Amino acid sequence: MNNTVDWAKLQADFPILDQKVHGKPLVYFDNAATSQKPRVVIDALVHYYEHDNANVHRGIHELSNRATAGYEAARARAAKFINARCADEIIFTRGTTEGINLVASSWGAKNLKSGDVILLTEMEHHSNLVPWQMIARRTGAKIAYVPVTGDDGLLDLSKLESVLTPRVKIFSMVHISNSLGTVNPVAELCARARKLGIVTLVDGAQSAGHLPVDVQAIGCDFFAFSGHKICGPTGIGVLWGRQELLDAMPPYQGGGEMILSVGYDKTEFKPAPHRFEAGTPDISGPIGLHAAMDYLDAIGRENIWRHDQELANYAYEKLAALKNIRLFGPKPVVGQAFCLSSPSGQFTGKMPVPLPGRAGLVSFLLKDVHAHDVVTLADQAGVALRGGHHCTQPLMHKLGVESTARASFYFYNTQAEVDRFVEVVEEIQKFFGQ
Ligand SMILES: Cc1ncc(COP(=O)(O)O)c(C=O)c1O
């Protein structure tokens, strides 16, 4: 295990983790669904409501000025978090889902027409699938998919050329699969798309809080993530877009805050990002998110990434040693290094781009045991897992299953907790006579 950070000690920063569930110490392994919140984030929310609460961008009074300053400081912090060129490229949303919906309906309505192709991968979360189906129906565009190889959960890049054609107008891809743990080579995919003038979107829901993200090094046009998966509050997220694209996109919703002037028959809109933030926004959300981003970067996302991988590889190897188990997602790469170079192999001095591989989760099925039974029995032992289709129903159909059980890790989890989890899986197998 990595010895530069005392990971077990970090648990003390999370009040919720110090509890028993069904009389057993809580082991929280549902981090891909949502992460827990450290005390600093909870304190930032309480401080905001106790001292600074007011509406933003409107008042000329002290509280409104403070609320606006906090809101805009969070925007600048989010830009730094993903190495955007400037804060104006950051739009606050409710989460990844809303960010992708915004691009699909605003960019999509303006730029897609009948005969165009939207390229996705077969491992997309419904959030990066349904919005595209909706805009495809409205515009007559078609959807194509980069295939997934099978249980090992990799993109079949040998098929990329046949689907990445000049008819593709946008390629929207998941960075880290929430069902498989696959880390996709997004920089390489974006570079291939860019050569054909194709716009790219990266769904960073599972990556932003787990590894250093540099949108300029990735080379995408849009990047979306959710605050609640990176130790921030629920209901806040970020959509990053290249400024020239954002400024050319029509507003997504209309209302207050996003206008320069309004007449009875015509409205002039503000430039991005404000044209995409109609109405009173979530103000405490960005403030809590700001605290979460500071907290994560004080630990270091390259440290978090290493720890995630160590836990996932350890869990994978232990589960793989059991009988009657089917594991999904890429096999761990032995000695997988954290790549400190750009996609081309040249160190650029920018944030490191990790090698494609496996992220901090394991997805599995026990023979003849429904995933929901695994999760229910694990819960009785205090271990919080997730069972179901993980909002990737088409992927589940492709793999010929209805659901999987998933354990997803974060930096406050420990090897001892993985040992406990594997012990519980073995107990479940015994319970079912295996
Ligand atoms: C890969 C991926 N994309 C998108 C989402 C949607 O995120 P949210 O529900 O926060 O909008 C999730 C949530 O689990 C996810 O794992």
Side-chain angles (χ1 to χ4, degrees):
M1 288 282 148
N2 186 302
N3 52 15
T4 55
V5 182
D6 187 346
W7 300 103
K9 213 167 157 208
L10 288 176
Q11 282 197 350
D13 293 344
F14 293 78
I16 200 171
L17 294 176
D18 182 21
Q19 64 172 295
K20 290 193 168 160
V21 167
H22 306 300
K24 310 277 167 34
L26 170 64
V27 173
Y28 185 76
F29 279 176
D30 195 17
N31 294 288
T34 198
S35 70
Q36 296 303 348
K37 320 301 170 200
R39 173 68 69 199
V40 283
V41 169
I42 299 166
D43 287 350
L45 295 174
V46 172
H47 185 276
Y48 168 73
Y49 281 117
E50 284 186 351
H51 297 90
D52 302 332
N53 178 51
N55 212 327
V56 288
H57 302 134
R58 291 184 190 178
I60 318 176
H61 59 82
E62 171 65 14
L63 293 191
S64 176
N65 288 341
R66 273 194 236 149
T68 305
Y71 184 77
E72 292 303 329
R75 196 191 302 282
R77 182 65 184 88
K80 196 170 152 218
F81 193 67
I82 56 171
N83 198 30
R85 264 165 302 196
C86 64
D88 285 348
E89 294 186 328
I90 300 292
I91 299 163
F92 285 126
T93 61
R94 283 191 296 123
T96 310
T97 303
E98 190 177 39
I100 298 172
N101 272 279
L102 193 161
V103 177
S105 52
S106 169
W107 183 92
K110 183 155 182 222
N111 293 288
L112 293 172
K113 57 180 187 328
S114 179
D116 288 343
V117 174
I118 300 161
L119 185 61
L120 308 175
T121 79
E122 283 183 343
M123 63 171 83
E124 297 309 322
H125 188 280
H126 297 164
S127 302
N128 196 25
L129 226 164
V130 182
W132 298 113
Q133 290 177 343
M134 287 162 66
I135 195 67
R137 213 168 298 131
R138 267 170 66 194
T139 58
K142 299 258 173 307
I143 300 183
Y145 296 91
V146 183
V148 168
T149 45
D151 282 9
D152 60 354
L154 295 166
L155 290 179
D156 185 351
L157 296 180
S158 69
K159 303 276 178 6
L160 188 63
E161 214 162 308
S162 63
V163 283
L164 194 66
T165 67
R167 284 175 59 206
V168 175
K169 290 290 169 301
I170 187 159
F171 181 9
S172 190
M173 67 201 85
V174 70
H175 196 172
I176 293 181
S177 159
N178 61 308
S179 295
L180 302 164
T182 316
V183 187
N184 286 318
V186 287
E188 184 188 330
L189 296 175
C190 290
R192 298 267 299 262
R194 201 166 48 250
K195 276 198 191 130
L196 298 173
I198 296 165
V199 168
T200 50
L201 185 153
V202 173
D203 169 352
Q206 298 295 341
S207 63
H210 289 263
L211 49 85
V213 167
D214 179 337
V215 289
Q216 296 185 61
I218 291 173
C220 52
D221 294 300
F222 298 102
F223 186 93
F225 67 95
S226 304
H228 70 96
K229 293 187 197 283
I230 71 162
C231 294
T234 48
I236 184 67
V238 166
L239 172 69
W240 168 82
R242 281 185 199 283
Q243 191 147 28
E244 55 280 19
L245 288 179
L246 293 179
D247 283 341
M249 281 160 53
Y252 166 57
Q253 293 177 330
E257 300 286 343
M258 45 81 76
I259 54 89
L260 285 172
S261 69
V262 182
Y264 281 120
D265 49 9
K266 154 169 174 282
T267 294
E268 254 191 282
F269 305 116
K270 280 184 183 164
H274 299 287
R275 73 164 53 182
F276 298 108
E277 293 177 1
T280 299
D282 177 3
I283 304 164
S284 61
I287 285 166
L289 180 60
H290 190 161
M293 292 186 287
D294 283 350
Y295 177 80
L296 289 181
D297 282 345
I299 299 168
R301 272 178 287 163
E302 50 305 334
N303 288 327
I304 292 174
W305 178 240
R306 268 195 212 101
H307 182 68
D308 272 5
Q309 288 194 326
E310 282 167 359
L311 285 186
N313 293 355
Y314 181 69
Y316 189 98
E317 299 300 349
K318 288 203 99 174
L319 289 179
L322 303 179
K323 288 197 190 100
N324 299 322
I325 191 164
R326 180 172 167 192
L327 285 154
F328 299 88
K331 291 193 179 45
V333 181
V334 179
Q336 183 172 18
F338 189 76
C339 177
L340 283 171
S341 52
S342 72
S344 63
Q346 295 287 301
F347 182 64
T348 58
K350 288 187 187 160
M351 282 193 193
V353 177
L355 288 168
R358 158 172 284 280
L361 64 89
V362 284
S363 223
F364 63 97
L365 272 180
L366 301 182
K367 189 165 175 265
D368 300 331
V369 185
H370 197 284
H372 285 169
D373 292 334
V374 173
V375 175
T376 306
L377 289 169
D379 177 54
Q380 292 303 309
V383 180
L385 304 176
R386 185 80 153 192
H389 52 63
H390 313 295
C391 295
T392 52
Q393 264 184 349
L395 175 67
M396 294 291 126
H397 291 158
K398 159 113 191 184
L399 298 175
V401 298
E402 265 176 41
S403 57
T404 71
R406 180 186 74 189
S408 52
F409 314 115
Y410 212 1
F411 56 87
Y412 41 74
N413 294 128
T414 62
Q415 189 174 349
E417 289 180 322
V418 174
D419 287 334
R420 173 71 190 130
F421 152 66
V422 176
E423 204 177 272
V424 166
V425 171
E426 285 179 293
E427 282 163 17
I428 294 169
Q429 286 192 312
K430 274 196 207 112
F431 181 83
F432 283 97
Q434 292 177 5

